[in-house]
Amino acid sequence: MVLRMRKRIYILLCLLFLLSCGKDITKVTIAKTPLPKNFTATHVKVISYSGDDIACMLFAHRFSQGNIVYFEIVPAYNEEKIGAMFNEKVIPVTKRSWGFRGFFAIAPDEKPGTYTFTVTIGTKKIDIPVVVAKTAFPVSTIPMDLGKFSKKEYLKSPEVLEFVQQCTKKKQKAFATHYNDLVRGRAFHPRNVHEVNSPFWAKRIYKLIDSASGKIQTVEHIHRGIDLNGDTGDPVYAMLDGIVVLAEKLFYEGNMVIINHGNGMFSYYMHMDKLYVASGHTVVAGQLIGTVGSTGMSTGPHLHVSLVVNGVQVNPMSIVMLPVRE
Ligand SMILES: [Zn+2]
């Protein structure tokens, strides 16, 4: 009898232990492949430099407006510190076991022409020319009706104005966070299917309707990311390793996730349905962070994704094919 009781207590304790363990195990789902099957733009251009002091390689989808550039510097001798600049602006550089690496942005409004990538090693400066080409950004001239987001009286209501102000503060706080380089490898596409609804840096026109007078104004808007097609509930993956610095519902952005990847690099995801991460969570590239939705200023289910490099917006798709290594 006593033995049976002991056995029962033992089984009960085991069950309780398993249940308590279950609570602590957070299930992380990772995308099967970094790029969806239908993503064919895997082209990468390379600028190589080899001298007495360093070997350097710059990688970009295109060395043109709105692209991110990934670079690797391997010094000939053991160096503790190396500096880098593009167009005379200092770029964060990370020391790895094999050398140094970093990212910089070619701004969408950077004038096409020849720029200089400068590597500082000790007292020496090495200049590598980078020819920046023009990118043809699309222009849409048809004014878009955004439903209630096109209604002036709705946007000017005190509750909306106050909420927008709160949202702005939250975003500013998220983008003011600082981390050292958190990237451990190549980037993932944020969706499992590649279909662009609205391209990067497209000029769009929004309607602004004054219901009282019936007057229709138009507002010019630059699209600071890309819209990827998807149905409500489709997966959304983190593009790079990092730390979530915002995950909540905002006015225009709807359910939004901002990930800090360190060294001034952020990716953000908007209009989502469900969020599977919270502020402070560490995420890995390809991790399922939520689902596609149509929350906030959105006319149908899609994913808006943006990539910011030291305050400069670049086409988020320009990073997914780059050979970033640990
Ligand atoms: Zn968008």
Side-chain angles (χ1 to χ4, degrees), residues 198-255:
S198 181
F200 174 72
W201 220 251
K203 203 186 262 180
R204 306 197 288 200
I205 296 164
Y206 294 160
K207 274 186 190 172
L208 201 57
I209 306 157
D210 188 337
S211 305
S213 66
K215 268 190 189 157
I216 301 175
Q217 278 177 280
T218 52
V219 192
E220 236 181 49
H221 179 87
I222 296 282
H223 194 219
R224 293 168 178 273
I226 61 161
D227 289 349
L228 295 166
N229 196 20
D231 289 327
T232 301
D234 281 349
V236 175
Y237 305 115
M239 293 192 71
L240 290 157
D241 310 304
I243 292 169
V244 177
V245 287
L246 182 144
E248 62 183 287
K249 193 166 194 169
L250 303 184
F251 182 72
Y252 290 106
E253 299 82 356
N255 283 328

Side-chain angles (χ1 to χ4, degrees), residues 206-310:
Y206 294 160
K207 274 186 190 172
L208 201 57
I209 306 157
D210 188 337
S211 305
S213 66
K215 268 190 189 157
I216 301 175
Q217 278 177 280
T218 52
V219 192
E220 236 181 49
H221 179 87
I222 296 282
H223 194 219
R224 293 168 178 273
I226 61 161
D227 289 349
L228 295 166
N229 196 20
D231 289 327
T232 301
D234 281 349
V236 175
Y237 305 115
M239 293 192 71
L240 290 157
D241 310 304
I243 292 169
V244 177
V245 287
L246 182 144
E248 62 183 287
K249 193 166 194 169
L250 303 184
F251 182 72
Y252 290 106
E253 299 82 356
N255 283 328
M256 186 190 200
V257 172
I258 305 178
I259 304 173
N260 188 333
H261 306 293
N263 276 4
M265 192 148 74
F266 294 85
S267 63
Y268 57 86
Y269 314 79
M270 290 165 25
H271 313 302
M272 288 159 79
D273 186 47
K274 287 194 169 67
L275 301 181
Y276 296 147
V277 288
S279 187
H281 280 184
T282 299
V283 290
V284 295
Q287 183 174 331
L288 183 71
I289 55 165
T291 58
V292 171
S294 187
T295 53
M297 194 174 83
S298 164
T299 51
H302 73 283
L303 173 71
H304 173 106
V305 60
S306 284
L307 183 64
V308 190
V309 184
N310 287 305

Side-chain angles (χ1 to χ4, degrees), residues 70-200:
Y70 167 66
F71 62 89
E72 294 186 347
I73 304 164
V74 180
Y77 314 99
N78 207 8
E79 283 294 333
E80 272 314 301
K81 218 175 159 242
I82 268 187
M85 288 194 293
F86 176 67
N87 193 14
E88 285 165 19
K89 267 185 235 136
V90 175
I91 306 160
V93 179
T94 309
K95 192 175 192 297
R96 312 307 290 169
S97 59
W98 47 264
F100 297 83
R101 65 154 205 213
F103 298 92
F104 67 89
I106 303 173
D109 55 4
E110 198 84 86
K111 259 174 111 181
T114 305
Y115 291 87
T116 311
F117 178 70
T118 309
V119 179
T120 315
I121 177 162
T123 51
K124 276 191 184 169
K125 274 190 175 173
I126 299 147
D127 286 341
I128 303 164
V130 178
V131 178
V132 170
K134 193 178 161 57
T135 299
F137 297 114
V139 178
S140 167
T141 52
I142 304 157
M144 285 169 76
D145 192 325
L146 302 163
K148 67 177 180 183
F149 290 91
S150 274
K151 295 206 162 56
K152 222 174 177 178
E153 66 275 15
Y154 173 66
L155 299 175
K156 294 272 178 277
S157 69
E159 311 86 71
V160 165
L161 287 175
E162 206 202 309
F163 185 40
V164 170
Q165 210 175 29
Q166 284 171 15
C167 296
T168 307
K169 275 186 194 157
K170 282 176 181 174
K171 282 184 285 177
Q172 280 169 348
K173 205 178 148 200
F175 286 118
T177 54
H178 289 282
Y179 291 102
N180 290 331
D181 194 337
L182 298 167
V183 175
R184 292 287 164 263
R186 64 171 300 172
F188 273 61
H189 193 285
R191 292 274 298 111
N192 55 347
V193 181
H194 179 75
E195 280 167 23
V196 178
N197 284 354
S198 181
F200 174 72

